[in-house]
Amino acid sequence: MNRKWWTLVVVCLATFMLLLDVTIVMVALPDMERDLGASFTQLQWITDAYALSLASLLLTSGSLSDRFGRRLVFAIGLVVFTGGSVLCGAATSPDMLIGSRAAQGIGGAMLFATSLAILAATFTDRRDRGIAFGVWGAITGIATAVGPILGGAITTGISWRGIFYVNLPVGVIALVLTFLAMPESKAPQARRVDWAGMLTFTGGLFALVYGVTRAGESSWSDSTAIWCFVVAAVLLIGFALLEWRVRQPMLDLDLFRVPTFLGGSVAAFCMNGSFFAMMLYLVLYLQNELGYSALDAGVRLLVFSGVTMIVATVAGRLTAKLPARAMIGPGLILVGAGLLSMLGLDEHSTWTHLIAGFIVAGVGAGLVNPPLASTAVGVVPVARSGMASGVNNTFRQVGIAVGIAVYGTVFSSSIVRGLRSRLSGDAADGVDLHAVAQAVTGGEQARVIAEAPAQHRAELGDAIGTAFTDGMNELFLISGIVAIVGGAAALLLIRTQDFVQAE
C-alpha cells in the first residue's frame, strides 16, 4: 500500500480515539458523578475542561506544526493525550479528573490541529483528497456510533475508568505507525508562535465559560459571573486587536474574508454547539430521569450514532461529486429539525419519544461531518492548512464548551422556575429550590424526595419530573434553533468557486 494511504490510516486512528473518547465519556458521566461524588457543575467541567483546553491550544498547535513539523507535533500530541487518559482512569477526585481531562485536551489540540493539515499536505490530487476527507469523515461517524454502546458496555461491565484505559493500546499503536509510515511536512514560510494571542484567547474563553457556569449555579446577577463576563469581553476584544495588528498572528482574520471559510467555521460551531452539546443532557435524562444504566443509555443513543455512521459513509463517497454547501447546509437544518421534533417531552414520556428526532438528526450529522473539513483546508494554500485546520476545530470545540455551559444554566434555571410554579406553599416552605435543582441535575431525585416530609413527597416527585422535562424542552428548542441558523449560514456563505480559487 502506498505510503500516503498509511498516513491516512494513522490520522484516522488518532481521530477515532479522540472522538470515541467524547461519546464514551458522555455515557459514563452519571457513574463518575456517583463514584467520585461530583456535582452537576463538576460534571459540566469534566466535559468543558477537555473542550476548553483543546480549543485554546488548537491555533497555537497549528502554528507550531507549520513551523517545527506536523508529524512531530502529532506524535507529541499522541503521547500527551494517551498519558492524560491514563491519569483520568486513575483519578481519585472530581478535581483530579477535571485536571486530567484538561491534559487530554492539550494532547487532543495537537492531534486535531495537525490531522487535516497532514492530509492536505499528503493528498495534493483533488480526487485523492476528496477520498481522504471522505474516509476521515466516515471515521468520525463510526467513532460517534460505537462510542455510546462501547462506553456503556465498559462502564456497566467493568468501570468508568476502563473508558480511559482503552486509549492506551490505541495510542501506542498510532505512535508506532506515525514514525514508521508518516512523512514529515512543514510550511515553507512558517509563522512565529503568537504567545500573546494564545494567552488572551485562552483566558477569554475560560472566563466566558466559567461566567456562564457560575450564573447557572447562582444567578445572572452574581458578581463573580458579571466580573467573568467583563474579563472575557476585555480579553477577547484584546485578542482580536492583537491579531489585527501583529505581523504573524495566531489567527489571520483575513481568512474570514473568504465566505466559504467563514461559513464552515459557523457551521462547525453550530454543529457541536447543538446536538453534541445536548448529548450530556440526553444522557442525564436517560439515566437520571428514566433510570437506565450506562449500557442501556448507550444502546438507545445508538439510534442517533448508528444513523450518523451509515449516512456519513455514503456522504464520504459523495464529497468529490457534490458541493460542500449542498451537504452541510441541509444537514444542519435536519439536525435542527430532529432536535425540534423532540419537543413535547413530559413526565410520562418514554425514550421512544426521542427516536424520530435521533433518526432525523443522525441523517443531518452524517451529511455534515465528511465535507465540513474541506471548508477549512480546502480554501487556503497548503502552507496555511495548519492554521485553517486549527480554526475549524477551534470553532467545533468552542461550540461544545459554550453550548454545554449555556444549556446547563438554562436547564438549572428552568428547573427552579418549574419547582417554584408547581409546589404549593406548604411544600415549598423552607426548601432551597436552587439546592433541589442542583440535586436533581445531579441525579439525586430519589434522595431529595425521600428527605421531604411524607405528606409532600408525591407532590414534590411530580413537580421534579415535570420541571426536568420542561427544562429538556427548552434545551431542545434552543439547540434546534442553533443548528438551523448554522445551516442557513452554510447555504448563504459556502461557495464552490472558493475551492477553485484556492487551487
Side-chain angles (χ1 to χ4, degrees):
M1 187 166 63
N2 192 297
R3 194 177 184 186
K4 67 180 180 182
W5 298 111
W6 277 112
T7 298
L8 176 62
V9 170
V10 175
V11 170
C12 286
L13 190 61
T15 300
F16 180 83
M17 179 174 64
L18 291 171
L19 296 180
L20 185 71
D21 196 69
V22 173
T23 49
I24 276 183
V25 169
M26 289 290 189
V27 175
L29 282 172
D31 284 75
M32 298 176 193
E33 175 185 50
R34 290 186 287 270
D35 189 28
L36 298 178
S39 67
F40 177 60
T41 300
Q42 287 172 322
L43 282 188
Q44 291 176 274
W45 276 107
I46 289 171
T47 302
D48 276 354
Y50 175 81
L52 273 180
S53 58
L54 198 157
S56 300
L57 295 174
L58 269 170
L59 297 176
T60 300
S61 297
S63 298
L64 288 171
S65 69
D66 285 344
R67 187 176 186 85
F68 297 107
R70 293 161 186 146
R71 186 182 71 170
L72 174 62
V73 173
F74 184 87
I76 294 173
L78 278 172
V79 172
V80 175
F81 182 86
T82 305
S85 298
V86 173
L87 290 175
C88 285
T92 56
S93 68
D95 289 340
M96 180 178 175
L97 181 56
I98 291 170
S100 301
R101 287 284 286 163
Q104 274 191 308
I106 294 172
M110 298 179 185
L111 295 173
F112 267 126
T114 53
S115 59
L116 295 181
I118 288 170
L119 293 183
T122 304
F123 295 90
T124 54
D125 177 75
R126 178 180 174 86
R127 180 179 177 277
D128 286 350
R129 181 182 288 187
I131 293 173
F133 283 148
V135 171
W136 184 87
I139 288 297
T140 66
I142 294 171
T144 303
V146 302
I149 187 68
L150 182 60
I154 294 174
T155 302
T156 302
I158 304 174
S159 166
W160 62 265
R161 299 180 187 278
I163 66 173
F164 295 110
Y165 289 136
V166 75
N167 290 331
L168 181 58
V170 179
V172 170
I173 293 171
L175 185 63
V176 172
L177 289 176
T178 296
F179 287 107
L180 290 178
M182 183 183 293
E184 184 61 280
S185 63
K186 300 179 183 179
Q189 295 179 333
R191 296 166 181 254
R192 297 179 60 186
V193 179
D194 181 10
W195 297 111
M198 183 194 73
L199 292 174
T200 52
F201 185 67
T202 303
L205 275 183
F206 179 84
L208 175 63
V209 173
Y210 185 84
V212 173
T213 306
R214 176 74 181 188
E217 287 184 281
S218 51
S219 69
W220 287 98
S221 60
D222 179 82
S223 59
T224 302
I226 292 173
W227 272 110
C228 283
F229 293 138
V230 171
V231 171
V234 170
L235 289 177
L236 292 176
I237 291 172
F239 169 73
L241 293 176
L242 278 171
E243 301 308 283
W244 190 267
R245 295 172 61 96
V246 72
R247 179 176 297 178
Q248 295 182 328
M250 179 176 78
L251 171 57
D252 187 349
L253 298 178
D254 286 340
L255 288 174
F256 294 103
R257 294 183 179 181
V258 180
T260 295
F261 188 89
L262 175 60
S265 299
V266 173
F269 178 92
C270 292
M271 181 66 247
N272 279 33
S274 56
F275 197 94
F276 289 109
M278 274 296 297
M279 283 191 71
L280 167 62
Y281 302 95
L282 287 167
V283 167
L284 292 179
Y285 172 70
L286 291 171
Q287 295 192 47
N288 291 350
E289 182 64 17
L290 297 184
Y292 290 116
S293 67
L295 178 58
D296 291 335
V299 169
R300 283 152 181 81
L301 287 173
L302 193 60
V303 175
F304 165 78
S305 55
V307 171
T308 300
M309 179 188 69
I310 294 170
V311 175
T313 302
V314 176
R317 297 176 180 177
L318 297 176
T319 51
K321 300 178 181 179
L322 292 178
R325 172 188 176 188
M327 299 173 70
I328 296 173
L332 271 167
I333 291 173
L334 283 174
V335 171
L339 287 163
L340 293 177
S341 73
M342 299 181 199
L343 285 167
L345 200 68
D346 60 39
E347 66 272 23
H348 303 297
S349 298
T350 65
W351 83 276
T352 57
H353 178 90
L354 307 174
I355 291 177
F358 281 167
I359 293 173
V360 175
V363 172
L367 288 174
V368 170
N369 281 327
L372 187 57
S374 66
T375 62
V377 297
V379 297
V380 300
V382 172
R384 303 177 74 189
S385 59
M387 178 185 291
S389 171
V391 171
N392 186 266
N393 283 308
T394 293
F395 273 83
R396 285 177 181 262
Q397 299 307 316
V398 171
I400 199 168
V402 173
I404 286 175
V406 171
Y407 297 156
T409 299
V410 172
F411 191 50
S412 296
S413 300
S414 178
I415 290 178
V416 170
R417 290 196 309 272
L419 292 173
R420 184 177 290 119
S421 65
R422 287 171 176 80
L423 290 177
S424 64
D426 290 340
D429 285 345
V431 175
D432 185 344
L433 296 182
H434 285 280
V436 172
Q438 286 291 318
V440 169
T441 53
E444 298 182 350
Q445 294 96 316
R447 178 185 63 78
V448 171
I449 295 171
E451 292 176 354
Q455 66 272 25
H456 297 313
R457 288 174 186 169
E459 180 182 357
L460 181 59
D462 291 341
I464 287 175
T466 303
F468 196 104
T469 52
D470 285 352
M472 290 296 295
N473 284 325
E474 285 194 35
L475 299 190
F476 289 141
L477 177 62
I478 296 171
S479 58
I481 292 173
V482 169
I484 290 173
V485 168
L491 288 172
L492 289 172
L493 294 170
I494 296 176
R495 311 180 309 177
T496 302
Q497 59 262 41
D498 290 334
F499 295 92
V500 176
Q501 289 171 2
E503 292 178 359

